[in-house]
Amino acid sequence: MGRQRSDTHTTFMESSRRPSLWAGSLRRDHIRLEDLPPDTIQEGQPYTSSKSGPSSSSRNNSLAWPFHGRNTSEVPSTTRSSRFTFRTWQPRTFFRPHDDTASIDRSIVPDYVVNFIRGETPETLARKKEQRKWGEHGVEITPRRDTFVSHPIEFGNYYSSSTDLSNDLNTHSSWSRQSGIRRHVTGWRGGVIFNSLVSFLILVVGIICLILVIAKARLLSGESAIYSGDCTTANHINVGIHIVIDVFGVALLSGANYVFQVLSSPTRREVATAHGNKRWLDIGIPSIRNFSHISGFRATVVVIILLSAVATQVIYNAVIFTTQNAFNYDVLFVTQSFLDHALFSNDTKINEGGLSDLDITNFQNTANGFTNLTSSTCLQEFSGIFQPSFDAVLLITDSKSTTSSLIRTSNPGTSLTAFTSNNVDVIAPDGSLVQYCLARSGASRTCSVNLSGSILGIAVLLNLATVISMAIILARSSFKPLVTLGDSIRSFLRHPDPTTANACLLTKTDVCQGSWASSESQFFVPNNHYWFQTPSLPRWALTVFAWLAIGAPTAVALGFLIRENPDVLTPFGVANPRMTFLLPAPTETAQMALLAALPQLLLAVLYFVINAHLTTYYLSHEFSRFALGSRTLRVSSNPAGEQTTSLFLTLPRPVSWTLLAWFAGLSFSLSQAVFPAVVTFSPPSPSANNIVAISFSTQALLTLLALLVALAIAILGLGSRRTAAASLASGEAKGNPLVLRGGSCSAVISAKCHNHNIVPPGQLAPREQDGGDEDADLWLRPIAWGVVEEGTGMRPGRCGFSATGTGCVDAGRNYV
């Protein structure tokens, strides 16, 4: 979709369609709101140019204001004032609602003038005071004088109404279907409550585990074994706990992202301020861009929530790790005659391993039951940093020595790489060549599942910070952000934005070029729109970068490990000596666990980026459907009329839950693909210290890469969807004027919400001249977007929302 400007309507257009623009040049619902309380406002009253004083029913028995004469029927209810320009300064805070108003200095405007503008009389004020004191029972309020709040009042250079954008959601009107506590547990508040409860339950589980660890180990620092025994059972326990941890971690990320979108959503005041400075904001998506336009407190809370959730995801994955037993295997170089019980010498010069005569004799007697390995296989098995299967190896050489069948014993656990120069042949210390090996299987190994108390304590504190930060937003009810697309449409329809008037075909490209509104009409150029065209180029670049940040290392690691060990495909979370690597410097167990969990940070970033990318897809999709037919507004709070609300913000619930499950699988695969390997040796030896290394699982790496590739295909597959056509080109449906090409943009959404021309004071809108506005309060009803006023001759048509039917946008015609 594009647009082209038309210069065909000039003087005729200005005279016939656009009234002369007096100071302020706003139509009646283009308001700059004043600092007047909303409790006396009557929404939805029609605009009238009639003069009014006290109503006829109360004129004879009502008191007058100081400036009223006795003949009050001739006094206008509102007049052009003397351009007040003084304003009181009010700081921006999170806890104080931001009013989209330009407040009037009360020291300049007397109270009785303000009350008069509100439509009050001395009698109604007295009655209201009595009502506040004694309650509503038995109090009869004198009818208000016959004025209407839509009548614009001029202060400075702005025409304004006594309506207040800070109460744009109209929580006190009779339209609302919700009241009491229910209003605070639906919409985005209900979503925040739900995510806070989930985070709180995770916190409770963490606290219980921490208490059990302290009670069992009597200390908070160090590691505590929660299971010790068979290695297969230990591996199953480790896998099960990590599944729970990764589901919890992704749930925390999801909750943080939800609150992030709510807090980064602008209020109407912030949108008005930004638009006044020719800046646009994101609406309906999580946005870091909005940080410079929202209050510092909200931005700080968002940063705390995101950092604590991401850190919790990383640290929880470092809480649990396994420790396995390995053998300090004996190494003996012997001749072929050794197997025939030939004599051997036990001289200390050749017996570095310190084996006794009884031990060596036992090898001779039991060698027939050993496992026969080729020289190359033997080199692979006994060249790793630990040996999990065999506790001794006899290397049979081609030596013909007749003095001793025992050539040499080496220190326990010596790697055979010390006896090879070409990584193929193993050379004995006497220069003879090893022909084959005989390896003795060790006893059943034991493994343990360990929990780090100190790391769990840190994770619990971070989880607590997440819960508190999520709950802060619920402390005050005055925060009214434009979270969903429905919120923004409702706000812009009730109080249209003058900065985007007469630009119904405005695009994000126009906004970025500074062409917000124009006196020229635009032609609609229909083009088929695919979903991949919705995100901007920088967003696509960010998505690709975030995917490559974890996908590229995964592919490289998997390729390297398979190339080095083509015949080994290690299972999930099980350390293999050929897939385990020592760091250059000695590392503590807790440090290695945290290091192995660091890639979870990249996965968390990828979740936020993919979530925002999909949200951009569905934001444009939701907006474009208004051009296809009537739909009710889905708002994030206080639904009224036929409006609906939901716990989800923009991303539909099925997509959101699928994304959660997908990333839970990614997180689990990553936790089993890269993990700490803690190895203890049996029997213990002073020369063999416990090993703390990092290990990889090729099966888990392969699964992780497959899930990442499937995720990329899903993103591209959704991007290939074509938006349904809603406009005509040569009689054929083509293009949709409501697609958000380039992503979310508050100015573009605002420009679509002007459904009639600017109307100066004293005149009625075209529909009101015919006996009533059929689209009054249209935001409360199912609405559609399209042509609401056809152009005639040189006069362009007008597009906007309507509850009574719209026409189809036609290519080749110009619109404003």
Side-chain angles (χ1 to χ4, degrees):
M1 191 269 287
R3 66 170 189 165
Q4 294 180 351
R5 301 191 182 279
S6 170
D7 298 323
T8 56
H9 66 294
T10 53
T11 306
F12 176 80
M13 170 63 191
E14 295 297 331
S15 60
S16 63
R17 181 165 181 82
R18 294 181 182 167
S20 60
L21 301 182
W22 34 274
S25 65
L26 307 179
R27 72 183 197 214
R28 64 180 179 89
D29 50 356
H30 278 171
I31 54 177
R32 296 291 295 259
L33 300 163
E34 305 303 318
D35 189 29
L36 301 179
D39 53 355
T40 62
I41 297 171
Q42 296 177 351
E43 294 284 354
Q45 297 185 10
Y47 171 78
T48 179
S49 61
S50 64
K51 301 177 182 180
S52 62
S55 62
S56 59
S57 61
S58 61
R59 185 175 300 155
N60 296 330
N61 59 356
S62 62
L63 300 177
W65 294 112
F67 49 80
H68 274 158
R70 285 301 170 189
N71 187 13
T72 57
S73 61
E74 299 302 322
V75 179
S77 61
T78 57
T79 59
R80 294 282 294 273
S81 66
S82 56
R83 299 188 180 272
F84 296 110
T85 57
F86 294 90
R87 302 174 184 174
T88 55
W89 178 85
Q90 297 178 357
R92 294 173 55 192
T93 64
F94 174 79
F95 293 106
R96 179 183 180 278
H98 293 316
D99 298 336
D100 289 341
T101 65
S103 60
I104 310 170
D105 195 334
R106 297 298 179 84
S107 65
I108 297 178
V109 183
D111 288 342
Y112 60 81
V113 174
V114 175
N115 288 326
F116 175 74
I117 293 173
R118 293 177 183 168
E120 300 289 353
T121 67
E123 291 173 323
T124 59
L125 290 178
R127 295 292 185 180
K128 288 188 175 182
K129 183 177 180 181
E130 188 76 10
Q131 179 184 354
R132 287 193 296 268
K133 181 177 181 181
W134 299 107
E136 188 175 355
H137 178 72
V139 178
E140 181 180 357
I141 303 297
T142 303
R144 297 174 58 182
R145 56 191 175 83
D146 193 18
T147 57
F148 299 93
V149 297
S150 61
H151 196 98
I153 314 297
E154 183 185 21
F155 293 105
N157 292 324
Y158 304 106
Y159 282 84
S160 112
S161 171
S162 57
T163 353
D164 192 348
L165 279 181
S166 67
N167 290 283
D168 187 56
L169 301 185
N170 196 34
T171 58
H172 302 292
S173 77
S174 60
W175 299 329
S176 180
R177 301 193 306 268
Q178 297 179 336
S179 60
I181 194 172
R182 185 181 177 187
R183 185 184 301 136
H184 299 283
V185 294
T186 57
W188 70 262
R189 291 187 181 277
V192 172
I193 291 175
F194 174 78
N195 286 288
S196 299
L197 289 176
V198 171
S199 301
F200 180 74
L201 291 177
I202 296 173
L203 175 63
V204 170
V205 173
I207 292 175
I208 292 174
C209 293
L210 186 61
I211 293 174
L212 293 177
V213 169
I214 295 176
K216 180 178 180 179
R218 304 295 179 185
L219 47 83
L220 182 60
S221 60
E223 293 84 34
S224 175
I226 60 178
Y227 171 82
S228 183
D230 179 65
C231 286
T232 301
T233 304
N235 185 52
H236 290 165
I237 293 175
N238 174 64
V239 168
I241 293 177
H242 269 97
I243 289 176
V244 175
I245 286 176
D246 292 316
V247 170
F248 283 179
V250 175
L252 290 174
L253 289 179
S254 175
N257 185 79
Y258 189 97
V259 178
F260 169 31
Q261 181 169 343
V262 170
L263 289 179
S264 64
S265 298
T267 62
R268 182 60 194 273
R269 176 186 179 88
E270 290 162 349
V271 171
T273 302
H275 286 190
N277 296 323
K278 298 300 180 182
R279 303 284 183 87
W280 58 271
L281 302 180
D282 286 322
I283 291 179
I285 63 173
S287 174
I288 295 179
R289 186 182 188 279
N290 288 356
F291 275 22
S292 60
H293 300 275
I294 65 176
S295 68
F297 182 85
R298 277 158 54 203
T300 301
V301 172
V302 169
V303 171
I304 293 174
I305 289 177
L306 293 180
L307 291 181
S308 58
V310 171
T312 303
Q313 164 80 356
V314 173
I315 293 178
Y316 263 134
N317 274 278
V319 169
I320 298 292
F321 56 90
T322 59
T323 300
Q324 60 178 309
N325 220 358
F327 297 107
N328 244 347
Y329 55 89
D330 296 318
V331 180
L332 294 84
F333 289 91
V334 298
T335 64
Q336 183 67 41
S337 61
F338 180 84
L339 304 179
D340 298 327
H341 298 84
L343 297 176
F344 60 85
S345 171
N346 196 13
D347 192 338
T348 55
K349 293 182 180 180
I350 62 173
N351 189 14
E352 294 179 0
L355 299 176
S356 64
D357 289 342
L358 182 61
D359 293 332
I360 297 175
T361 302
N362 185 51
F363 280 125
Q364 286 183 318
N365 295 332
T366 58
N368 291 335
F370 290 7
T371 301
N372 194 316
L373 303 174
T374 63
S375 176
S376 58
T377 303
C378 187
L379 180 61
Q380 289 180 353
E381 282 289 338
F382 293 93
S383 61
I385 63 175
F386 66 93
Q387 174 49 246
S389 304
F390 304 108
D391 63 359
V393 59
L394 300 178
L395 293 99
I396 314 303
T397 68
D398 58 1
S399 174
K400 305 297 182 180
S401 174
T402 57
T403 58
S404 174
S405 60
L406 177 65
I407 299 175
R408 180 70 64 87
T409 67
S410 297
N411 291 325
T414 301
S415 174
L416 294 188
T417 55
F419 303 100
T420 182
S421 59
N422 56 8
N423 293 326
V424 176
D425 298 325
V426 180
I427 309 298
D430 65 346
S432 58
L433 183 65
V434 173
Q435 302 296 310
Y436 64 95
C437 298
L438 296 174
R440 183 176 68 183
S441 298
S444 298
R445 296 186 303 126
T446 60
C447 297
S448 62
V449 180
N450 301 295
L451 184 147
S452 175
S454 57
I455 295 179
L456 179 59
I458 296 174
V460 168
L461 290 177
L462 289 171
N463 197 349
L464 178 62
T466 303
V467 173
I468 294 175
S469 299
M470 286 183 176
I472 282 179
I473 191 176
L474 301 172
R476 303 288 291 183
S477 62
S478 58
F479 178 48
K480 298 174 183 177
L482 305 180
V483 181
T484 66
L485 182 65
D487 291 339
S488 59
I489 294 176
R490 172 172 64 178
S491 179
F492 289 130
L493 286 178
R494 292 188 63 189
H495 307 300
D497 181 6
T499 62
T500 58
N502 300 321
C504 64
L505 298 180
L506 185 71
T507 65
K508 191 172 182 179
T509 302
D510 298 327
V511 173
C512 294
Q513 293 175 351
S515 304
W516 283 60
S518 173
S519 59
E520 305 171 359
S521 61
Q522 304 95 36
F523 289 102
F524 175 68
V525 181
N527 291 306
N528 290 327
H529 177 84
Y530 294 88
W531 283 25
F532 73 85
Q533 296 173 298
T534 301
S536 62
L537 185 60
R539 184 171 294 280
W540 269 109
L542 179 62
T543 301
V544 172
F545 177 80
W547 189 93
L548 289 177
I550 188 170
T554 300
V556 170
L558 182 63
F560 172 79
L561 293 174
I562 291 179
R563 187 190 66 179
E564 294 296 322
N565 306 278
D567 57 338
V568 177
L569 199 61
T570 55
F572 280 59
V574 176
N576 184 286
R578 294 158 65 181
M579 304 289 180
T580 303
F581 304 93
L582 289 170
L583 296 183
T587 308
E588 297 293 332
T589 303
Q591 295 174 341
M592 183 60 71
L594 289 172
L595 180 64
L598 275 181
Q600 296 284 344
L601 175 64
L602 299 176
L603 198 62
V605 172
L606 180 63
Y607 172 79
F608 291 132
V609 172
I610 293 296
N611 186 285
H613 194 100
L614 291 176
T615 301
T616 304
Y617 275 172
Y618 281 93
L619 180 71
S620 177
H621 175 63
E622 182 178 3
F623 200 30
S624 66
R625 295 176 72 182
F626 283 100
L628 303 176
S630 295
R631 300 180 56 81
T632 58
L633 293 180
R634 185 180 59 82
V635 297
S636 66
S637 61
N638 304 316
E642 298 185 50
Q643 296 169 355
T644 61
T645 187
S646 61
L647 292 182
F648 75 92
L649 302 179
T650 300
L651 201 61
R653 190 175 293 108
V655 180
S656 179
W657 285 106
T658 301
L659 192 64
L660 277 176
W662 207 308
F663 270 85
L666 285 169
S667 181
F668 169 71
S669 299
L670 182 57
S671 69
Q672 301 302 293
V674 185
F675 53 92
V678 182
V679 181
T680 59
F681 289 100
S682 178
S685 172
S687 60
N689 298 322
N690 292 344
I691 292 177
V692 179
I694 190 166
S695 190
F696 297 88
S697 166
T698 50
Q699 284 186 2
L701 283 172
L702 186 60
T703 303
L704 176 63
L705 185 61
L707 289 174
L708 287 171
V709 171
L711 177 64
I713 293 175
I715 298 297
L716 295 176
L718 279 175
S720 65
R721 289 185 60 181
R722 186 171 67 180
T723 302
S727 59
L728 294 176
S730 301
E732 180 183 356
K734 185 178 181 181
N736 191 308
L738 287 189
V739 292
L740 297 175
R741 189 184 297 267
S744 175
C745 179
S746 59
V748 172
I749 298 173
S750 167
K752 309 296 184 183
C753 299
H754 300 274
N755 62 340
H756 56 78
N757 205 353
I758 297 175
V759 179
Q763 297 185 19
L764 299 177
R767 292 178 183 134
E768 292 174 345
Q769 294 175 1
D770 298 333
D773 191 352
E774 296 178 351
D775 275 337
D777 302 341
L778 74 164
W779 54 87
L780 301 176
R781 295 178 283 167
I783 57 176
W785 192 94
V787 178
V788 295
E789 184 179 342
E790 290 288 354
T792 57
M794 300 293 291
R795 188 176 66 181
R798 178 171 294 277
C799 297
F801 284 97
S802 175
T804 57
T806 60
C808 191
V809 179
D810 198 352
R813 295 190 178 183
N814 53 345
Y815 300 94
V816 294

